[in-house]
């Protein structure tokens, strides 16, 4: 047990469980984009590990881009405004865009992001998320592809953080309450 493992209450999804499911979803996306050349967008930073695994399981010729966003006003205002801290470098007009997200919680971030991207006239926008916490939803946001639906618990690992820590844990774990209540 390493120093990070000690902060984990329980393993929610093991490396093996994640790998198996990511492969299945990659195959679904290959079928969806057959004969096309999608622009696959990694939403930094939390999606980076999922993104790296997902694209390597896809066999469709594709392009990559990266974006960093945060929503503020979320929580109290369910509309939450979007702050883009790093924008795409690709012109998405007429492109098939696939957004890769780590977790959908209130849904405010992706709701606003999808709206903004649609205003740039892409051919299509789809969302694939590693995790979905539907109980917490505030915005009308349903991802087209979901790897795992989870209960309302705070999770870390496989790219996801608490105060920028735990992103490099290879599995997804529930953080001990003592870590964020101290
Ligand atoms: P929302 O859907 O706008 O509420 O925002 C989702 C974002 O909140 C995700 O992209 C994560 O960065 C963060 N987030 C939500 N739940 C968790 C969690 O359980 N662990 C780590 N980050 C989370
Ligand atoms: Mg995120």
């Amino acid at each position: 047990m390493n120093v990070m493992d000690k902060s984990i209450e329980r393993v929610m999804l093991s490396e093996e469980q994640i790998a198996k499911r990511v492969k299945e979803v990659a195959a679904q996306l290959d079928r969806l984009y057959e004969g096309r050349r999608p622009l696959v967008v990694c939403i930094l930073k939390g999606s980076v590990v999922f993104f790296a695994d997902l694209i390597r399981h896809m066999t469709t010729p594709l392009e990559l881009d990266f974006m960093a966003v945060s929503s503020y006003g979320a929580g109290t205002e369910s509309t939450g405004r979007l702050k883009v801290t790093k924008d795409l470098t690709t012109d998405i007009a007429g492109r098939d865009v696939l957004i890769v997200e780590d977790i959908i919680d209130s849904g405010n971030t992706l709701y606003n992001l999808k709206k903004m991207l649609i205003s740039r006239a892409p051919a299509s926008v789809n969302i694939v998320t590693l995790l979905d916490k539907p109980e917490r939803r505030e915005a009308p946001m349903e991802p087209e592809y979901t790897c795992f639906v989870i209960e309302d618990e705070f999770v870390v690992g496989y790219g996801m953080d608490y105060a920028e820590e735990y992103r490099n844990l290879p599995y997804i774990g529930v953080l001990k309450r003592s870590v964020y209540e101290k």
Side-chain angles (χ1 to χ4, degrees), residues 103-105 129-134 137 142-143 146 148-150:
I103 180 165
I104 304 182
D105 190 35
T129 188
L130 174 67
L131 303 179
D132 187 3
K133 281 187 199 174
R137 200 71 92 254
E142 289 313 316
T146 299
F148 301 97
V149 174
I150 65 166

Side-chain angles (χ1 to χ4, degrees), residues 71 101-109 133 153-155 161:
S71 56
E101 179 61 307
D102 53 353
I103 180 165
I104 304 182
D105 190 35
S106 71
N108 287 323
T109 310
K133 281 187 199 174
E153 287 182 289
F154 195 82
V155 293
D161 74 309

